[in-house]
Amino acid sequence: MCDSCSSFLDRLFARGVLHATGVDGLYARGECFEKVISGLDRVISRHGAAHRAEIIRFPPGMSRALFEQSGYMNSFPQLAGSIHGFVGDERDHLALLDKIHNGETWTDRQVATDVVLTPAACYPLYPIVSKRGPVRADGLYFDVQSYCFRHEPSKDPARMQMFRMREYVCVGTPDQVMAFREQWLEKGRDFARELALPHEVNVANDPFFGRGGRVMASSQRELGLKFELLVPIESGDEPTACVSFNYHQDHFASMWGIELASGEAAHTACVGFGMERLALALFKHDGLDLDAWPSPVRAALAL
Ligand code: ATP
Ligand code: ZN
């Protein structure tokens, strides 16, 4: 197949940048893909260094109890994923094997474990912060990362079901948090320029579920609570959100009881880097051969 007539995803598979697993949006990563991810991590760390943020790395699952408390199911039930496990006796086990053998549904007897898949890297952070007492006067800064799950199978390589999200999160007064987001809107543009990626920054909204969700989405846009750094990845499609800049006001802090010394609820904001999307944007613009990438880009990523 010629390069221009196969899809970007097919070309990524053909070069071993990604490997198919049989499920749309679930891919194994090849060596050169991971080199780019490591490079991106270094560039992001450089841009975020001034925060002296506390580093926390999460496993891809979080506590189901805390997830229920987070309200994620109110807003995004269509994207959530939970982990279920087998708890039966030997007879149940035989029945289960029979069902698998006969190609029948075997998962109806699985029960929810205490773990759900993490939907965004900052979700497991707030319960940790809430246990620490009042937020100190100069604010709190975190550098978090997690594999995240979203049930949105797609042939678009930039829409994965499991992907890494690196985030900087600020917890503090409204002024501190707004200043943090303004700085990141600027740094986000610098970051894209350093990597020579064509980009624009636009106001955005989250994919809230249902009719009520449309109201939430338009109010989020009106209040300018979410911005995205967009880069064209799939030709013909809208540009893809590669970095998100979110101001949550006191939403998460009120929910988790995170307070300032004054007793008022803190405010929070996060900047979320979609690691796979950024890597794919680079492969799209600079080609599938890392050795042929422009030297300033290779230098920025220390490839
Ligand atoms: P919040 O904390 O308010 O829920 P967030 O910033 O943690 O928001 P998003 O804005 O939804 O979460 O996602 C952050 C980044 O993750 C996006 O900018 C994007 O780059 C990446 N991302 C989101 N969905 C996908 C996906 N399906 N596949 C790959 N990357 C994704
Ligand atoms: Zn976040």
Side-chain angles (χ1 to χ4, degrees):
M1 224 186 305
C2 68
D3 259 16
S4 55
C5 47
S6 60
S7 72
F8 182 40
L9 184 58
D10 286 335
R11 281 181 279 132
L12 291 162
F13 289 156
R15 291 294 287 264
V17 177
L18 296 178
H19 301 277
T21 67
V23 177
D24 289 340
L26 189 70
Y27 310 116
R29 282 80 168 142
E31 182 177 344
C32 62
F33 192 86
E34 286 306 296
K35 276 190 184 160
V36 174
I37 294 281
S38 304
L40 284 166
D41 259 324
R42 287 188 289 269
V43 181
I44 294 167
S45 297
R46 213 183 314 123
H47 284 269
H51 295 311
R52 298 177 191 282
E54 179 178 341
I55 295 173
I56 304 185
R57 298 291 177 251
F58 292 110
M62 67 178 282
S63 146
R64 176 160 61 88
L66 296 177
F67 171 82
E68 287 162 4
Q69 237 177 297
S70 77
Y72 192 81
M73 288 308 265
N74 298 337
S75 303
F76 313 107
Q78 78 283 18
L79 298 177
S82 41
I83 298 187
H84 289 62
F86 171 71
V87 288
D89 59 17
E90 282 182 49
R91 224 178 41 193
D92 298 323
H93 180 215
L94 289 176
L96 178 143
L97 293 180
D98 257 358
K99 285 183 175 172
I100 292 180
H101 182 75
N102 298 328
E104 292 167 17
T105 304
W106 58 273
T107 46
D108 50 348
R109 299 288 297 278
Q110 300 283 99
V111 300
T113 64
D114 289 340
V115 183
V116 297
L117 292 162
T118 302
C122 63
Y123 267 68
L125 175 68
Y126 306 112
I128 293 176
V129 177
S130 78
K131 289 213 203 87
R132 294 190 179 171
V135 175
R136 57 165 199 257
D138 51 349
L140 300 174
Y141 296 89
F142 296 93
D143 163 354
V144 298
Q145 196 257 26
S146 182
Y147 249 102
C148 297
F149 174 84
R150 293 187 184 176
H151 187 225
E152 45 184 3
S154 167
K155 296 273 182 213
D156 173 357
R159 188 164 296 286
M160 296 188 177
Q161 298 202 63
M162 289 187 157
F163 55 94
R164 279 161 285 191
M165 203 187 285
R166 169 100 181 261
E167 293 193 43
Y168 281 92
V169 183
C170 172
V171 183
T173 64
D175 284 351
Q176 285 164 341
V177 163
M178 282 304 276
F180 166 90
R181 197 182 65 164
E182 289 313 305
Q183 278 170 25
W184 270 108
L185 280 167
E186 219 25 69
K187 284 187 217 225
R189 289 189 183 91
D190 292 344
F191 170 81
R193 276 193 287 266
E194 189 178 347
L195 297 173
L197 288 171
H199 61 278
E200 55 182 301
V201 173
N202 267 339
V203 71
N205 61 267
D206 285 311
F208 296 105
F209 184 74
R211 211 177 315 152
R214 281 203 286 281
V215 179
M216 289 170 79
S218 61
S219 111
Q220 189 183 31
R221 290 180 92 90
E222 259 161 46
L223 297 169
L225 298 181
K226 186 177 188 87
F227 288 86
E228 288 173 341
L229 183 121
L230 302 151
V231 182
I233 300 183
E234 270 293 52
S235 42
D237 284 356
E238 297 283 297
T240 303
C242 291
V243 187
S244 302
F245 309 86
N246 305 296
Y247 175 32
H248 313 120
Q249 299 173 302
D250 66 348
H251 173 79
F252 285 120
S254 295
M255 176 176 302
W256 294 108
I258 303 172
E259 292 179 348
L260 304 170
S262 64
E264 283 173 281
H267 280 221
T268 62
C270 67
V271 49
F273 294 84
M275 301 304 291
E276 276 72 12
R277 285 189 179 175
L278 287 163
L280 289 170
L282 289 163
F283 281 107
K284 180 73 183 201
H285 291 282
D286 298 326
L288 300 185
D289 178 4
L290 288 192
D291 294 333
W293 283 14
S295 17
V297 176
R298 290 181 54 82
L301 294 166
L303 289 177

